[in-house]
Every structure is written in C-alpha cells, then in structure tokens.
Amino acid sequence: VQLVESGGGLVQPGGSLRLSCALSGVTFSSGTMGWFRQASGKDREFVAATRWSGGNKQMHYGETVKGRFSISRDNSLNTVYLQMNSLKPEDTAVYYCAAHNSRLILSSLWDEENYNYRGQGTQVTVSS
C-alpha cells in the first residue's frame, strides 16, 4: 500500500494550490482519508478529512482552514484532493496525506496516529 502526495510548491499569498494524494495497492469500500501539515518547529496539525461509507460521505476541516480549503475524493482514481485557496504565509508547511481502511469515528480524525497509512509529504510554501 502506498500513498503518494503531489502538487506542492511555491505560491504567493492569496494564491491557490491543489494537492493530490493517490492511494495504490488497496481499495476501500468505506474509509477515511485526510490531510495533516507540519510547519517548521511546530506540531503536526489536522487540516481536513473525508469519511465515506456506502453512499454517505462527510468532510471535516480544521478551524484555521475552514472556508479556504476543500477536500474531495475521486473514487475511480482512488485519489483525494485538497484545494487550497486564499493561501497565507502561515499555511507554509509540509502537507501529509493519511488513509484508514474504515470510517473513523469523529474523535479519531484529528490524530494522524489513528490512520493505517501515511504519505511522505509535499512542501507548500506561501511567500511573496
């Protein structure tokens, strides 16, 4: 099983980026995929997650990104996306994707340790 993130880079404040996370080696009929980030010298922070089971899906966001970031999933590609708009310098971090092979309960979403699989991360730098 492998998670591969892509789409990071350098962007000016106010700009947008879309991160992708491709899951290979397994397909989940129900599951959870999320994004976390870690800025230099800081703890890892929950960014967003999507949970699905059958036809139901839910999205969740950290307080610092609500209204600016959007998580989505393409089931056919086994890929989750993080659309990041109105980026700020404080969004600068390494962004990590995580996946779990079942629908996590809400209280478990915020901790990356609760996810089965984790990616290697992609750097996002917001600077003029």
Side-chain angles (χ1 to χ4, degrees):
V1 177
Q2 195 174 17
L3 283 172
V4 178
E5 301 103 330
S6 61
L10 173 64
V11 62
Q12 291 188 341
S16 298
L17 276 178
R18 189 177 80 155
L19 304 183
S20 300
C21 173
L23 175 65
S24 61
V26 67
T27 300
F28 302 153
S29 58
S30 62
T32 307
M33 290 185 75
W35 290 95
F36 295 79
R37 68 186 182 185
Q38 189 165 20
S40 180
K42 295 189 176 182
D43 292 334
R44 199 161 293 193
E45 175 189 16
F46 171 80
V47 176
T50 180
R51 303 185 289 167
W52 68 94
S53 178
N56 297 316
K57 64 179 179 181
Q58 295 172 305
M59 283 71 79
H60 309 273
Y61 299 94
E63 287 300 319
T64 58
V65 306
K66 265 182 191 175
R68 299 188 297 123
F69 290 12
S70 177
I71 189 170
S72 60
R73 185 176 71 93
D74 187 325
N75 185 45
S76 64
L77 297 178
N78 224 11
T79 298
V80 68
Y81 303 98
L82 185 68
Q83 178 66 42
M84 305 186 295
N85 299 327
S86 302
L87 282 161
K88 305 175 182 179
E90 51 263 44
D91 293 317
T92 295
V94 178
Y95 283 71
Y96 298 89
C97 179
H100 193 77
N101 60 354
S102 68
R103 187 177 177 276
L104 287 171
I105 61 174
L106 192 60
S107 60
S108 295
L109 287 182
W110 331 122
D111 187 347
E112 194 182 21
E113 295 292 325
N114 293 320
Y115 294 69
N116 294 121
Y117 311 108
R118 293 166 231 167
Q120 295 301 307
T122 185
Q123 176 71 45
V124 172
T125 302
V126 184
S127 174
S128 55

